[in-house]
Amino acid sequence: MNDLILSGILKKDDPLSVVDALILAAIGIVIVFVVLIALMLIVSLVGKIFDSSDALQQKHPEWGQKVNDFKAKLMFWKKAQPAEEAPAEEVPALANGTCGELTLVNTSERDAAMIMAIVADSTGTPLNELRFKSIKLIEEEQK
Amino acid sequence: MDIGKILENLWEGSGYNLFGKDGGWQSIVMIIIALFFLYLGIKKKFEPLLLVGIAFGMLLTNLPALDGDKLFHPDWWTVSDIDYLEILRHGGLLDILYIGVKTGVYPCLIFMGVGAMTDFGPMLSRPSSLILGAAAQGGIYLVLILAAATGMYSGGEAASISIIAGADGPTAIFLTKELAPQLLPAIAVAAYSYMALIPLLQPPFMKLLTTKKERMTVMAATRKVSKKEKIIFPILVTIVVGLLLPSVAPLLGSLMFGNLLKECGVTERLSDTAQNALMNIVTLFLGISVGATAVGTTFLSAKTLVIIVLGLAGFVLATICGLLIGKLLYVISKGKINPLIGSAGVSAVPMAARVSNTVGLQYNKGNYLLMHAMGPNVAGVIGSAVAAGFLLAVFG
C-alpha cells in the first residue's frame, strides 16, 4: 500500500511515487471541480434570485409601489420624531465674500445669475463686492 | 601608507578576481542568461514588467562578491529556522526585499491588485465558465504525475513544478516559497516566460482539437449582472473557499478583497491604489527579489532544465484539458458554447482570453469571443488557487 493511504499526509521532502501522484492528482482534480461547481451553483442561485426579483417587480409594479410607500412612511415617521431628537435643520453657510441675501421675484436663479454677472462685468466690480437686494421681473403691461 | 597593499585588497575583493574562484564560471553563465532575459523583456516584450525585474535581480545576485558585500545570501533562506533579525542586521538589499517573498506577502498583494483589476461579470453572467476554469487545472495534476515519474523531485518540488501549469505567477510563487524555495527562480522564470508565450503556445492546439464548425460558433449575449451580485460574489467566494481550504485563504482572500474594493463603489481610492501604485511597487520588489534567488551554483542543474520542459508540458496539457471540456460543453449546450473559450481556463489573465478571441476571429469575422472567454479566464485564477491550496494542505 502506498504512502498516501498509509500516512494520510505526505512530507514535502520525501520522494513522491507515481502511484501517490496518481491518487493525489485524482483527489486534487475532484476537489477543484467540487469547489468550482459549488461556486457555480451558488452563483447561479444568486443570479436567479436577482433575476426573479426583477421579474416580479416588472410583473407586479404595484408591489414596488407598496415598498416605496412603506419607505415614504418610514421617512415620515423619522421626521415626525420629537424636535429635540431630530438634528437641527442646517442653514447653508454663505459662500466666502457674499454680501447678504437676495430676493428673487418672478425670476429664475439662472436669469438672476446672468444679470448679476452682466452688472459685475459692466461696472468692473467683483461680484462679491456687489450687493443685490432683489431682482424682480417687470411685466410688459406695467411699463 | 602601503599603496600596494590597498590595491591588492581592492583586487582581492573585486568581482573580476572572484570570477576565477569557485562558482566563477556559473556566475558568468548566469550573467549571460540574465542579459538574455533582459533582451527578451525589453526587445521582445515578454512579460516585461516582471521579466526585466527578474533578469536584473539575476544579474545583481550573480556578480561575484565577498560574503560581506553580497546582495543576497541563498544559504540564509534554506535553513528550517530563518533568523530574520540577522537578515535585517547584516543582510544585503535583496535579502531584505526577499522577506516579502518568503513570507508570502508579495504574491498576496499582487493578487489584491489583480482582484481590483478583474471584472468577474462575464463569469457571473455565465456560471458554466467555472467548469472550464476547473478543467484547465487538469494540467497541474498531469504535470504532478510527470514530475513524480522522473524520480528527480521530492513531493514538495513536484507539487511546486506542477503549479506552473496553472499559468498564474503569484500562485506559483506562493506555493513554491513554501514547498520548494530552492526551485523558486526556475519555477518563476518558467511560469512567467510561458505566460508571455501563450499567444504562440495555444493556437496550434486550439486548431488541432477543434473543428472549423466549432471554432465558428457564435455565442449569444449573456444576462446583465447586477452590481449587488458583483458585490456579493467576492464575499461568498472568500467564505466558501476559505472555509474549505484555509491554506489558500491569504491568496484568495486578497484577490477577493481587491475585487470587493473595485465593486463596492465606495472605496475608489483604495481600489485605485491596489491596482496601480501598490501593484507597481510590489511588482518591482517581487521581480528583483525572485531573480535574486537564481544563483548559478543552484540554478544551473539538470533539475532546472527538466522544470523548463515540464512547465512547457504543463501549459500545453492545461490548454488541452480546457479545450476538451469546452468541446464537451459544446455538445451538451447543443452548439451554443464555442470550445475555443476552454483554452482560456488557464489563468493567464487576460492573455489566454485574448488568444481565444483572436483564433475565433480568424474563422468568423465579427465573432468576438473576448467577453465570453473572460469567464473561464478569471475562473481559472480561482481554480489554480484552489489547486494550490490543496497541494499546500497535503504537503505543507
Side-chain angles (χ1 to χ4, degrees), chain B residues 167 193-203 315 346 348 351-352 355:
Chain B
S193 304
Y194 291 135
M195 275 161 66
L197 289 172
I198 271 188
L200 298 177
L201 288 175
Q202 285 194 322
F315 268 65
V346 302
M351 195 96 74
V355 172

Side-chain angles (χ1 to χ4, degrees), chain A residues 9-10 12 14 28 35 40 51, chain B residues 127 154-156 178 223 244 394:
Chain A
I9 192 156
L10 294 168
K12 66 178 181 181
D14 289 348
V35 171
M40 182 183 84
D51 282 351
Chain B
S154 67
E178 201 62 46
R223 57 180 277 273
L244 184 70
V394 173

